[in-house]
């Protein structure tokens, strides 16, 4: 007898292809359905069809940054409730100041471990319900 397990949908937006693929594979092994985009613009396009429950995003990316994508997602009624988790390799205080200015208070710094990410996803999903 097979149980129907509802996979939680995560959109991963990161321009570092190797990191994105590794994180996708790790989250998939832990029963997340993961879709990958390589910049904020592609992320916005995937949101419409994939309908993620959580977005994990890098901050600095080509075409559209993670923060710019965040602002666009939060400005649209049907997507405003999607929680974000930001991950960045930058240690710059200006990045953190910009994050606070637009209402982002949680940024994980690379390198991160999968357990840390999964705990944050669970917290975001719990606070969303």
């Amino acid at each position: 007898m097979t149980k129907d397990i509802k996979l939680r949908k995560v959109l991963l937006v990161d321009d570092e292809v190797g990191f994105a693929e590794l994180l996708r594979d790790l989250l998939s092994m832990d029963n997340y359905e993961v879709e990958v985009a390589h910049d904020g613009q592609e992320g916005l396009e995937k949101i419409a069809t994939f309908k993620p429950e959580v977005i994990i995003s890098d901050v600095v990316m080509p075409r559209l940054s993670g923060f710019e994508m965040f602002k666009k997602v939060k400005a649209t009624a049907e997507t405003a409730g999607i929680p974000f988790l930001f991950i960045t390799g930058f240690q710059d205080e200006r990045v953190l100041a910009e994050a606070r200015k637009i209402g982002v208070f949680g940024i994980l710094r690379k390198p991160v471990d999968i357990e840390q990410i999964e705990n944050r996803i669970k917290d975001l999903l719990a606070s969303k319900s």
Side-chain angles (χ1 to χ4, degrees):
M1 183 161 118
T2 347
K3 282 186 177 180
D4 286 334
I5 298 173
K6 181 183 179 289
L7 299 180
R8 305 307 298 255
K9 295 170 96 174
V10 175
L11 176 62
L12 175 58
V13 187
D14 198 309
D15 60 327
E16 289 182 42
V17 176
F19 176 78
E21 289 175 358
L22 175 65
L23 187 52
R24 178 198 60 213
D25 292 348
L26 291 169
L27 289 171
S28 295
M29 286 190 291
D30 287 333
N31 293 321
Y32 289 96
E33 181 180 350
V34 183
E35 199 58 46
V36 175
H38 296 294
D39 62 50
Q41 186 60 45
E42 187 183 351
L44 288 175
E45 292 161 9
K46 290 200 176 208
I47 287 170
T49 55
F50 182 61
K51 307 212 181 314
E53 295 171 76
V54 173
I55 297 170
I56 300 174
S57 178
D58 191 6
V59 174
V60 179
M61 295 178 288
R63 292 205 301 167
L64 192 68
S65 77
F67 289 161
E68 291 166 329
M69 181 182 67
F70 174 85
K71 289 184 221 177
K72 289 180 183 280
V73 167
K74 295 302 179 184
T76 305
E78 61 265 7
T79 58
I82 302 172
F84 269 75
L85 172 59
F86 283 101
I87 300 174
T88 185
F90 286 88
Q91 309 296 323
D92 192 330
E93 196 51 46
R94 289 175 298 190
V95 169
L96 298 176
E98 172 69 13
R100 286 189 290 274
K101 189 168 89 176
I102 65 169
V104 172
F105 296 98
I107 298 180
L108 297 178
R109 292 190 173 136
K110 291 177 185 174
V112 294
D113 67 46
I114 189 66
E115 189 175 320
Q116 186 181 28
I117 292 170
E118 287 176 334
N119 287 336
R120 293 298 287 274
I121 292 172
K122 286 176 187 160
D123 291 346
L124 290 170
L125 290 170
S127 68
K128 187 179 159 187
S129 336

